[in-house]
Amino acid sequence: NVYQNAIAAVRDSIDGPIKALGGIVTIFVINWQLALASMAVLPFMIFAIQRNSRKMKDAQADVQQDLANLTAMMQESLQGTRIVKAFSAEETMSSRFKRLVETSFESQVRAIRRGADLEQVVVPDRRRVVGDGVDVVEVDLVAVAQEAGAELVEVEIIGSADRHFPF
């Protein structure tokens, strides 16, 4: 699997620039005026994508750290079940776990929103604003699930308000 990923990375690093250069040459051959106009916008897009990519990398690092904290806490709780029971600390451990789950969930939502913001730089006409707190990714997933015939059910996420998820 690692070998395949390495080959894919090398192939993409060679294939990507060749495709981009071929596309640019094709655009200039078809309509050079339109190509020049699109090249004028390119530096602004590159700047916006790089800025958002850095923020997305930071958001993903937060997600990884929060998941690591959650996993460590779960492992600690499972390995120390006897100690937790001996000191009657079930409630304390449960509240700690709920806090870590909520923190992990919030960091994942922030990362998804950052990805949706980056997508809007690349594909600006897909953004749909539904209201406060409703993320475009959630809206798209619900719409796709409803189109597929799924029903919406309420699911309580530990330590947070009820949210609607398609199942």
Side-chain angles (χ1 to χ4, degrees), residues 19-76:
K19 285 182 180 179
L21 186 61
I24 291 171
V25 168
T26 303
I27 291 172
F28 272 100
V29 168
I30 292 173
N31 188 339
W32 66 270
Q33 295 95 347
L34 186 59
L36 284 177
S38 65
M39 292 296 134
V41 178
L42 195 59
F44 298 109
M45 279 190 67
I46 290 172
F47 171 75
I49 289 171
Q50 284 181 339
R51 193 187 83 211
N52 284 325
S53 294
R54 267 188 252 115
K55 290 180 182 179
M56 183 142 177
K57 187 184 286 186
D58 293 342
Q60 287 297 331
D62 290 344
V63 167
Q64 291 297 319
Q65 184 59 46
D66 290 341
L67 285 174
N69 292 341
L70 182 62
T71 303
M73 194 268 176
M74 284 190 322
Q75 184 176 4
E76 176 186 327

Side-chain angles (χ1 to χ4, degrees), residues 35 37 43-45 72 77 81 83 87-88 90 97 106 117 120 124 136 141 156:
F44 298 109
M45 279 190 67
S77 296
T81 302
I83 296 170
F87 288 101
S88 299
E90 292 94 345
F97 182 75
E106 289 169 359
D117 290 344
Q120 297 316 309
V136 70
L141 290 176
E156 182 177 340

Side-chain angles (χ1 to χ4, degrees), residues 125-151:
D125 62 341
R126 287 199 53 203
R127 182 86 181 183
R128 293 184 287 174
V129 178
V130 176
D132 285 276
V134 178
D135 193 85
V136 70
V137 174
E138 292 173 338
V139 173
D140 286 346
L141 290 176
V142 170
V144 168
Q146 286 175 333
E147 288 173 11
E151 295 182 23

Side-chain angles (χ1 to χ4, degrees), residues 97-125:
F97 182 75
K98 286 178 183 179
R99 270 195 319 272
L100 286 173
V101 166
E102 186 63 29
T103 302
S104 177
F105 178 77
E106 289 169 359
S107 68
Q108 290 178 26
V109 168
R110 281 192 303 274
I112 289 170
R113 285 192 175 140
R114 180 62 59 201
D117 290 344
L118 180 60
E119 182 181 346
Q120 297 316 309
V121 171
V122 179
V123 187
D125 62 341

